[in-house]
Amino acid sequence: MTFEIIFVLALLTLAVLFFVTEWLRVDLVAGLVLLTLAVAGIISHDNALAGFSNHAVVTIASVLVLSAGLNRTGIAHIVGHQIMRLAGTSKVRLLVIMMATVGLFSGIMNNIGVAALLLPVVLEIAQRTKQSPSKLLIPLAFASLLGGLTTLIGTAPNILINSTLQKAGYEGFNLFDFTPLGLIVLASGIGYMVFFGRHLLPDRDLGRDTNLADMLSSHYALEQRLITLRLPAKSPLAGRNLAGSRLGAALGFNVMAIIRGTTTFLAPGPEAEIHANDKLLVEGRPESLEMLREWKQLELKRGLLVGEQKLSAALAFIELRLTAHSPLLGKTLKEAGFRRAFNVNILGAVIKGKAQVLKLSRYRLNEDDKLIAMGHPEDIEKLAKERQFADFKRVGPRELTLKYKLHRQMIGIGLPEGSQLAGKTIAESRMKDALGINVLAVQQSDTTIFMPGPDQIIGEEATLIVLGQPEVLDTLKGLQSLEMDTEIELDLEQLESDQVGVAEIILAPRTSVVGKSLGSLQFRDKYGLSVLAIWRRDRAFRTNLRDLVLEPGDALLVYGHREQLVRLQKDSDFLVLTGIDQEIYNKEKAPVASAIEIGVLASVAMGWLPIYIAAPLGAAIMILTGCLSMDEAYKAIEWKAIILIAGMLGLGQAMLDTGATELIARKLISALEFMGPLGIVAGIFIIAAISAQIMPTAAVAVIMAPLALSTAIDFNLSPYALLMVVALGSSSAFLSPVGHPVNLLVMGLGGYRFTDYTKVGLPLVILLLLIALFVLPILWPLTG
C-alpha cells in the first residue's frame, strides 16, 4: 500500500467522519478535501477544479432550474391536486394514488420540490378524509425517493453514476434505461406500504384544522392561554404603541386583538397605539404578569450614583471599529455576543456621525460605525489585540459625559423591600429583556460590583446602575397595573376575517434559518406575523418562543394579515401550508413550462442531444420565456450540493488515480467471492444503503460508483448492472429522518419520532435488497 493510497483513504475517513458528525458543513468538508488533495499533489492543480465543469454537475444544476420552472408555474400542484381528488374517501386508494403521483413527478422533477409542492394537498386531503397526517407523510417522502429511480434525471446519484460510466469509456445510460427497474421499485414500494407498511405508521391524532378556532383548541392547546387585559384609565401605557409597551418583550404576550368600545382591531402591528380602557386579547401565560407584579414597584435612584474616579479605576472605556473582514459584520449586538466572547459591554455606537446609546437591539454592525465598549482593563487589553477590530482609542469618563452624554442614560433602579427579584441572578431576573436595560453595576452592602456577570445574585434592597431611561419604570408600573380577565371577550371565530387569519408554516428543505432563533431573525418585524406556537416532533412549544432555536422539521403556527402570509410564501426559507387561498403560481406559463420539459425529455430520449446539453438549453428557455426569473433560477440551484459533488468528484478521481479504488474492490471481491455474483451485489447494495443513512446521497454515489465499476471489471461482471445496484442503494435513505432532506420535511407535521422511520423503512430497505438480488439481474444481467 503506497503513501498516496494511505493519504487518500485517511482523507476519505475524515470526510465520512465530518459528514456523520456534522461538525462542519458538508460543502465545506468537500471543498477542504478537494483543496487538500491539490496542495498535497495527489491531483494536479489543473484538475482540482475539473469537477465544477463535469457533465454531471452541469446537468444537476440545470435539472434543478427545470424543476423550479415546473414548480413556479404550479404544474405539479395543479395536476397533483386534481389526480388525488380521484381517491375519494378510500384510504387505500388515496395512499396508492398519492404515492404514484409523487413517484412519477419525482422522475422528472427534484424530489424535494415535488414533496414540498404536494404537501399542502396531502394535508388538505388528510383533513377531508379524517386521517392523521402521520399516516400519509412518510409514504409521501418515501415515494419521492423511490420515484427518483424511474429516469436518468430523477436524482443526482443517477446522473453521477452515468457520468462515471461515460468517463470510464462506456456508453452512458439512456434517459429511460432506469424506467423498467424504477417502476418495479416504485410499484413494490407502494404495494409494501398498502399491505404492510401503513400498519407500522403511527396514528397520531394531530387534529390539523384550517381555521383559527379549531387550531387553537386542538393539538396546539392555546385556547386556555388566551386572556383579556384591560388598561386602567390612568395607565402609563396609554398613548404608547405596542412595541413601546413591551407586552411582548416583558411578558411574552402576543397581542391578537385590540377591543376599543365597539371596534375590534385584529392582528395589530407593533406601531398600533393603545388607549386607556382598551381591552387587549393576548396569547400567553397569565403567571407572567403575576411574576412581574412580584417585583413590586422599583424605585428610581437619582443623583451621583458612582464617582468618576471610582468608575475609571474599575473599568476601561474604548472606541473601536470593525475591520472589513470581521465575522461580526451584519450581526446584531446580541448575535455578536460581545459579552460572551470578549467580556465587554457595547454601550453605544456612532452611526453616521451621530452617537446612539440606547435602542440598539435592531442595530446591525457596520464597518463604518464606531462602537463604544466598556470592560475591565485586562479584558479591554485583550480586545485591542483582536485583528477584527481597528482604530482603538481610550475614552475617559469625563469624555463619555461630554461627548456621549452617558450620564443622561445612566440611572439607578432600587429594589424595594420584599421584591421577588432579590435572590435571583441577573439572568434569571430577565430584566434586560423586560425593560430593555443594560446592567453596568450592582451596589449592595456598601459594595459596588462592576460589569456583573449573568450569574451575579441580586441582593436585598440592592441598587442596579443601568443604561436606560427613567420611563422604563413607568413602563413597568403600567404592565403591573394591567387588569387581567380569563374570560375571552371575543368568539374565537371573530379572530379571523378575509384580511386576517392563522396559518401553519414549516421550514423549507434548504432553509437558512436552522440553528437561529425567532428573536435573532427578527421574525415579527420582518414578516409582520406573530408566532403563537412551534410544533416539534410530537409536542407543541408555546413558551419563550423568541429564544427557541429552530430545527429541521419544525412547524410554526402564525397569526396575522393574509397579505403578509402571501409575502412569506415567496420566501425560500419557509413553506406556507394553510391559511391563504391566493396562490403564487404563474399558471399562464404552465403550458410553456410543460412543453419545455417534454422537449428536453424527447431530445434526450431520441438521442438528438446529450442530457448535459439538453438540460441547460431547457433551463435557459425556461428563463427566456418567463417561466421563472434569473434570480429564481439562481435560487433554485442548490449550491451546497454543487460544491459537495464537485469536491467529492475530486476525491473519487484521486481514489482512482492512486489505486485506492482498485484496492478496496479487491478486498471486497476476496471477502465476497465465495458467494458469487449475488454476493457482490448484496455487498455493494448494503454498503451504499448504510452510507445513504448518514451521508448525502450524492456523496455516496460519487464514492461507490468507481468502486462498483472497478469491481465489475475485476470480477468480469456487467458495469451497468453494478452501477444500477449503486443507484438503488444510494436512494434507500429510509431508516432515519436525517437520511434525506425530504424525510426531515415531513417530520414535524407528522409528529414522527426517529424510530418511526426505522420501523417503517427497514422492511422497505430489505425489499429493495431482494429486488437488487433477484429482479435487477433479469433486467440487467450480471454477466455476458
Side-chain angles (χ1 to χ4, degrees):
M1 187 181 297
T2 64
F3 169 78
E4 286 79 6
I5 292 178
I6 296 173
F7 185 87
V8 169
L9 292 180
L11 199 58
L12 172 63
T13 304
L14 276 175
V16 172
L17 176 65
F18 281 113
F19 286 149
V20 174
T21 59
E22 295 184 342
W23 289 337
L24 294 175
R25 287 173 46 129
V26 294
D27 49 344
L28 178 58
V29 172
L32 290 173
V33 165
L34 187 63
L35 293 172
T36 302
L37 291 169
V39 171
I42 304 296
I43 58 177
S44 69
H45 294 173
D46 289 339
N47 289 333
L49 301 180
F52 290 97
S53 61
N54 186 280
H55 293 168
V57 173
V58 174
T59 303
I60 290 168
S62 302
V63 168
L64 289 172
V65 174
L66 285 169
S67 179
L70 297 177
N71 288 356
R72 183 71 181 82
T73 54
I75 291 170
H77 183 274
I78 297 165
V79 176
H81 201 281
Q82 295 302 318
I83 290 176
M84 284 197 279
R85 283 190 176 276
L86 300 175
T89 58
S90 170
K91 295 180 179 179
V92 172
R93 193 185 310 138
L94 170 61
L95 189 64
V96 172
I97 290 177
M98 179 198 71
M99 292 188 71
T101 302
V102 173
L104 292 175
F105 270 117
S106 293
I108 57 172
M109 293 175 62
N110 174 260
N111 48 19
I112 301 173
V114 171
L117 272 175
L118 295 180
L119 194 53
V121 180
V122 173
L123 290 175
E124 176 192 326
I125 294 177
Q127 182 188 0
R128 177 167 56 81
T129 58
K130 302 189 184 310
Q131 282 196 83
S132 168
S134 62
K135 285 291 187 181
L136 294 173
L137 295 185
I138 276 183
L140 170 75
F142 286 4
S144 73
L145 294 175
L146 294 170
L149 289 164
T150 55
T151 68
L152 173 62
I153 62 172
T155 65
N158 296 0
I159 297 170
L160 290 164
I161 286 164
N162 185 58
S163 175
T164 300
L165 198 60
Q166 291 175 324
K167 198 169 182 180
Y170 293 90
E171 184 180 347
F173 289 111
N174 292 321
L175 180 65
F176 296 112
D177 280 350
F178 286 80
T179 305
L181 180 64
L183 290 177
I184 291 172
V185 167
L186 179 59
S188 300
I190 295 172
Y192 157 76
M193 202 62 73
V194 167
F195 294 108
F196 185 65
R198 66 190 178 101
H199 301 295
L200 301 177
L201 290 164
D203 188 6
R204 300 197 174 102
D205 184 14
L206 303 181
R208 279 190 157 73
D209 300 283
T210 57
N211 66 76
L212 185 142
D214 290 334
M215 274 190 155
L216 293 185
S217 59
S218 61
H219 65 295
Y220 283 106
L222 285 170
E223 188 175 18
Q224 63 268 33
R225 293 168 62 93
L226 293 178
I227 54 178
T228 303
L229 302 174
R230 190 181 73 83
L231 268 69
K234 296 183 179 180
S235 172
L237 301 181
R240 297 192 186 187
N241 59 30
L242 285 177
S245 73
R246 304 196 69 80
L247 279 161
L251 298 170
F253 287 166
N254 284 309
V255 180
M256 302 185 71
I258 299 175
I259 306 168
R260 185 173 299 147
T262 58
T263 305
T264 299
F265 302 94
L266 297 179
E271 299 304 318
E273 192 173 285
I274 51 179
H275 298 170
N277 297 314
D278 275 354
K279 292 181 180 180
L280 310 178
L281 182 61
V282 302
E283 179 271 328
R285 300 172 61 197
E287 55 266 32
S288 298
L289 184 55
E290 294 302 324
M291 289 173 62
L292 202 64
R293 287 172 177 163
E294 289 175 356
W295 289 13
K296 299 198 172 178
Q297 184 57 44
L298 303 181
E299 302 168 357
L300 178 64
K301 300 286 187 177
R302 297 186 182 274
L304 186 63
L305 299 169
V306 58
E308 288 183 5
Q309 187 175 358
K310 192 173 183 180
L311 189 66
S312 59
L315 298 172
F317 299 86
I318 193 171
E319 293 177 347
L320 58 95
R321 184 179 55 79
L322 270 65
T323 59
H325 64 269
S326 172
L328 303 181
L329 290 174
K331 293 185 177 181
T332 64
L333 292 176
K334 185 173 182 179
E335 291 169 347
F338 276 91
R339 184 63 188 269
R340 182 177 60 254
F342 309 109
N343 199 31
V344 300
N345 273 350
I346 300 299
L347 302 181
V350 180
I351 305 169
K352 296 181 180 179
K354 186 177 180 180
Q356 186 172 331
V357 176
L358 299 177
K359 298 180 180 178
L360 290 172
S361 61
R362 299 180 185 177
Y363 167 69
R364 293 195 174 272
L365 295 166
N366 188 310
E367 63 178 302
D368 296 326
D369 300 337
K370 191 184 298 180
L371 304 178
I372 306 105
M374 175 188 81
H376 295 291
E378 59 273 18
D379 294 319
I380 292 293
E381 289 293 336
K382 291 179 183 177
L383 185 70
K385 296 177 182 178
E386 289 280 338
R387 293 187 176 181
Q388 59 179 309
F389 304 114
D391 298 345
F392 294 94
K393 180 187 174 185
R394 293 276 184 168
V395 182
R398 184 171 296 276
E399 188 177 355
L400 286 172
T401 299
L402 296 174
K403 187 175 180 180
Y404 297 110
K405 307 296 188 289
L406 194 65
H407 64 290
R408 296 181 182 176
Q409 322 292 346
M410 194 180 296
I411 61 173
I413 296 178
L415 271 64
E417 184 179 353
S419 173
Q420 292 299 311
L421 285 174
K424 290 186 176 181
T425 66
I426 290 178
E428 290 169 344
S429 74
R430 302 193 75 234
M431 292 186 70
K432 184 172 183 178
D433 289 334
L435 302 179
I437 59 177
N438 195 350
V439 181
L440 305 181
V442 178
Q443 290 181 339
Q444 53 194 21
S445 304
D446 299 323
T447 302
T448 302
I449 303 167
F450 292 97
M451 289 278 294
D455 296 329
Q456 174 66 47
I457 296 176
I458 304 171
E460 294 279 352
E461 300 184 32
T463 296
L464 307 178
I465 302 172
V466 305
L467 279 182
Q469 296 283 0
E471 290 79 10
V472 299
L473 296 186
D474 290 334
T475 302
L476 176 62
K477 182 180 178 181
L479 292 171
Q480 291 173 327
S481 67
L482 289 170
E483 298 171 0
M484 183 168 56
D485 188 352
T486 53
E487 289 294 323
I488 302 173
E489 288 285 327
L490 291 176
D491 187 325
L492 291 183
E493 298 285 350
Q494 294 177 269
L495 288 175
E496 283 196 296
S497 68
D498 291 339
Q499 292 77 38
V500 175
V502 69
E504 268 189 310
I505 65 173
I506 61 171
L507 306 190
R510 301 187 188 112
T511 183
S512 63
V513 303
V514 168
K516 299 177 182 177
S517 67
L518 293 174
S520 66
L521 292 171
Q522 297 182 344
F523 187 92
R524 180 72 174 86
D525 295 333
K526 184 176 181 181
Y527 299 107
L529 298 167
S530 297
V531 179
L532 304 180
I534 295 178
W535 186 268
R536 179 172 295 168
R537 299 180 185 92
D538 57 349
R539 62 165 293 196
F541 292 83
R542 299 175 290 269
T543 306
N544 297 328
L545 298 182
R546 180 180 176 83
D547 299 321
L548 191 66
V549 174
L550 296 174
E551 296 181 2
D554 282 350
L556 284 63
L557 183 69
V558 299
Y559 177 69
H561 290 269
R562 298 190 193 277
E563 61 185 26
Q564 300 288 41
L565 292 172
V566 173
R567 179 181 164 209
L568 182 66
Q569 192 178 33
K570 297 177 182 178
D571 193 299
S572 58
D573 284 323
F574 301 97
L575 298 174
V576 179
L577 300 179
T578 61
I580 55 175
D581 298 322
Q582 179 180 347
E583 297 175 346
I584 59 170
Y585 302 121
N586 190 6
K587 292 182 179 179
E588 65 272 14
K589 295 290 184 180
V592 178
S594 300
I596 293 170
E597 182 71 16
I598 293 171
V600 169
L601 297 177
S603 64
V604 175
M606 300 298 291
W608 298 333
L609 291 173
I611 185 63
Y612 55 84
I613 296 296
L617 179 60
I621 297 174
M622 281 279 190
I623 296 167
L624 290 172
T625 55
C627 294
L628 75 168
S629 68
M630 196 69 187
D631 287 341
E632 288 171 332
Y634 277 120
K635 288 180 181 178
I637 298 172
E638 192 178 353
W639 296 105
K640 179 179 177 181
I642 296 299
I643 294 173
L644 166 69
I645 292 167
M648 296 310 292
L649 283 171
L651 178 60
Q653 188 61 49
M655 291 178 65
L656 279 172
D657 293 345
T658 59
T661 299
E662 187 177 351
L663 176 66
I664 297 173
R666 285 202 302 268
K667 295 288 185 183
L668 181 65
I669 291 170
S670 62
L672 300 174
E673 190 173 9
F674 72 97
M675 298 175 62
L678 290 182
I680 299 292
V681 169
I684 291 174
F685 177 89
I686 291 171
I687 294 172
I690 292 174
S691 300
Q693 314 309 319
I694 57 176
M695 289 171 57
T697 54
V700 175
V702 169
I703 294 171
M704 290 297 300
L707 174 63
L709 188 61
S710 181
T711 302
I713 294 170
D714 291 347
F715 210 63
N716 199 25
L717 297 175
S718 166
Y720 295 96
L722 292 196
L723 287 174
M724 277 288 180
V725 175
V726 173
L728 206 55
S730 299
S731 295
S732 301
F734 306 120
L735 301 183
S736 77
V738 298
H740 196 279
V742 76
N743 291 344
L744 283 173
L745 179 67
V746 302
M747 187 177 186
L749 290 170
Y752 295 125
R753 302 185 181 99
F754 191 100
T755 52
D756 292 328
Y757 290 88
T758 308
K759 188 192 306 181
V760 181
L762 183 58
L764 184 57
V765 173
I766 294 172
L767 176 61
L768 263 61
L769 172 61
L770 295 175
I771 290 174
L773 288 172
F774 302 112
V775 177
L776 187 148
I778 297 174
L779 300 173
W780 297 91
L782 294 174
T783 57

